[in-house]
Amino acid sequence: MSAQPKAASVPPEEPAVPAVVGTPAPEAVAPIPEKQPAAAAAPIETAPVAFASGYLEAAPLDDDYDNDSAIGDDVQSSTASISSSILEYRAIKGRTYHSARHPTDYFTPNDEQQQESVDLTHHYLTILLDGKLFLAPLKEETLENVLDIGTGTGIWAIDFADAYPHVQVVGTDLSPMQPTWVPPNMRFEVDDASLEWTWSNDTFDFVHIRYLFGAISDWNALFGQAFRATKPGGWVQSGEVDVEWVSDDGTVEANEAIQTWNRLYRESGKKIGYSFTLVADDVQRKGLEEAGFTDIKVETFKVPTGGWPLDRKLAEIGNIVQATIENDIEGYTLMLWHNVLNWPAEDYQMFLMEMRKALRNKRIHGYIVQRYVYGRKPETA
């Protein structure tokens, strides 16, 4: 997910061999057991409760409602980061970003503050899917190798590896910001998914791709790489969100700070060539179809940006979304504001203050649109 104009491509003569990070202990490299007892792995389910359509009803408010209510302060990041002192990260206004030597300039930081938001995001998405890690109809008995693209802190990959200990899991990202101690059946690698993948054909039973908005310029190429690396009969799942806020009752459209947020992403995406409107543009479904996947399914959700919904599950999700953004609203916007669009620096802190007010205002009934699309590689591909 990037935010500055793209840097020069890596010269062809440089090998694109990914670096291994967080290699498990020696016993972790033992061969995969031929068959795992059924009780050792969590059951695989596929049918979530979707709420993509219909009017989202807000909970009633008293005149003196607590405008600052949000998720508690005891939510902590579940992973640790590798010390940035040994890594060549860029420093921009006190935040660290992926290495300047890397061909991709992602728009969010890779420091601990942003990592906390990444883990909170995983939490609300898991609640959204009723505790499931994926929607694709995977067959547990045939799973051997799984790839997590854009793994971030590695929290999804770690959860998957814990749930299915007989499966080998690999997580890749631009920076080695994942924990060094991981389940024995997984590892992390530094790699750029926008470049040619180094994996052999027909390697993975499942390729999981999540929240690469603002990171990929050619989505058809990305899904084409995923198709090549997936085994016949295997699945690829993409989970993305449109960053722009909307509402069913006009309360978002009437708020100036939120409309500035929306314009920030809309104009930045056009300038850098990395889309932030993947759902509206139907990029995932089109990309999977173009790559050759079949049995494509689409699940779309409304994800509240605060705890205003009457529905208790949606209110819980909304509170965590609010905490996710409030935790690092600067990290989501700083590079776009200052380095991409060069908007007036003196207006930035006022924008942050007004956005925090909007997040805590339960009379603003905003949500973002989340979409999961998954498809199967034909057996005779």
Side-chain angles (χ1 to χ4, degrees), residues 146-311:
V146 168
L147 175 63
D148 183 30
I149 294 293
T151 195
T153 64
I155 189 169
W156 182 93
I158 291 171
D159 281 358
F160 191 98
D162 279 336
Y164 307 103
H166 66 293
V167 179
Q168 293 295 307
V169 181
V170 179
T172 69
D173 212 311
L174 297 173
S175 292
M177 58 183 184
Q178 302 80 29
T180 54
W181 290 101
V182 298
N185 57 318
M186 79 156 302
R187 70 182 188 274
F188 295 115
E189 297 184 0
V190 176
D191 202 8
D192 184 354
S194 68
L195 303 178
E196 184 175 356
W197 293 13
T198 59
W199 308 107
S200 301
N201 295 347
D202 307 335
T203 298
F204 297 101
D205 303 285
F206 181 45
V207 176
H208 177 261
I209 304 171
R210 188 172 74 179
Y211 275 28
L212 295 187
F213 57 85
I216 303 298
S217 60
D218 189 342
W219 281 87
N220 285 349
L222 177 80
F223 290 128
Q225 294 274 17
F227 185 88
R228 179 186 63 77
T230 302
K231 295 178 183 178
W235 291 83
V236 168
Q237 177 176 297
S238 168
E240 294 295 338
V241 66
D242 276 358
V243 185
E244 295 188 18
W245 293 24
V246 292
S247 66
D248 292 335
D249 59 2
T251 52
V252 157
E253 291 71 15
N255 185 272
E256 183 177 351
I258 297 176
Q259 291 311 305
T260 299
W261 167 285
N262 288 349
R263 187 163 63 91
L264 177 69
Y265 283 99
R266 192 180 309 122
E267 295 185 12
S268 294
K270 292 178 181 178
K271 187 169 182 178
I272 64 179
Y274 293 142
S275 176
F276 293 100
T277 56
L278 301 172
V279 176
D281 298 335
D282 201 16
V283 169
Q284 300 154 278
R285 181 188 60 81
K286 292 176 181 177
L288 289 176
E289 287 180 350
E290 177 70 21
F293 289 98
T294 59
D295 300 326
I296 296 173
K297 303 296 181 184
V298 178
E299 301 278 359
T300 306
F301 303 85
K302 292 180 177 181
V303 178
T305 52
W308 56 266
L310 179 63
D311 181 274

Side-chain angles (χ1 to χ4, degrees), residues 78-207:
S78 64
T79 62
S81 65
I82 299 174
S83 173
S84 62
S85 64
I86 63 173
L87 301 170
E88 297 182 13
Y89 292 158
R90 292 174 298 154
I92 299 177
K93 296 186 180 297
R95 307 299 298 272
T96 62
Y97 293 78
H98 299 291
S99 171
R101 299 198 305 176
H102 203 281
T104 299
D105 294 331
Y106 183 41
F107 77 100
T108 60
N110 58 5
D111 52 26
E112 290 187 7
Q113 185 173 352
Q114 177 61 203
Q115 290 176 40
E116 291 176 359
S117 286
V118 170
D119 286 346
L120 285 169
T121 296
H122 173 73
H123 185 44
Y124 76 68
L125 289 177
T126 303
I127 297 174
L128 180 70
L129 299 186
D130 298 327
K132 303 177 181 67
L133 293 173
F134 53 88
L135 298 179
L138 307 181
K139 295 181 179 179
E140 179 184 341
E141 63 274 13
T142 65
L143 285 178
E144 294 179 336
N145 297 293
V146 168
L147 175 63
D148 183 30
I149 294 293
T151 195
T153 64
I155 189 169
W156 182 93
I158 291 171
D159 281 358
F160 191 98
D162 279 336
Y164 307 103
H166 66 293
V167 179
Q168 293 295 307
V169 181
V170 179
T172 69
D173 212 311
L174 297 173
S175 292
M177 58 183 184
Q178 302 80 29
T180 54
W181 290 101
V182 298
N185 57 318
M186 79 156 302
R187 70 182 188 274
F188 295 115
E189 297 184 0
V190 176
D191 202 8
D192 184 354
S194 68
L195 303 178
E196 184 175 356
W197 293 13
T198 59
W199 308 107
S200 301
N201 295 347
D202 307 335
T203 298
F204 297 101
D205 303 285
F206 181 45
V207 176

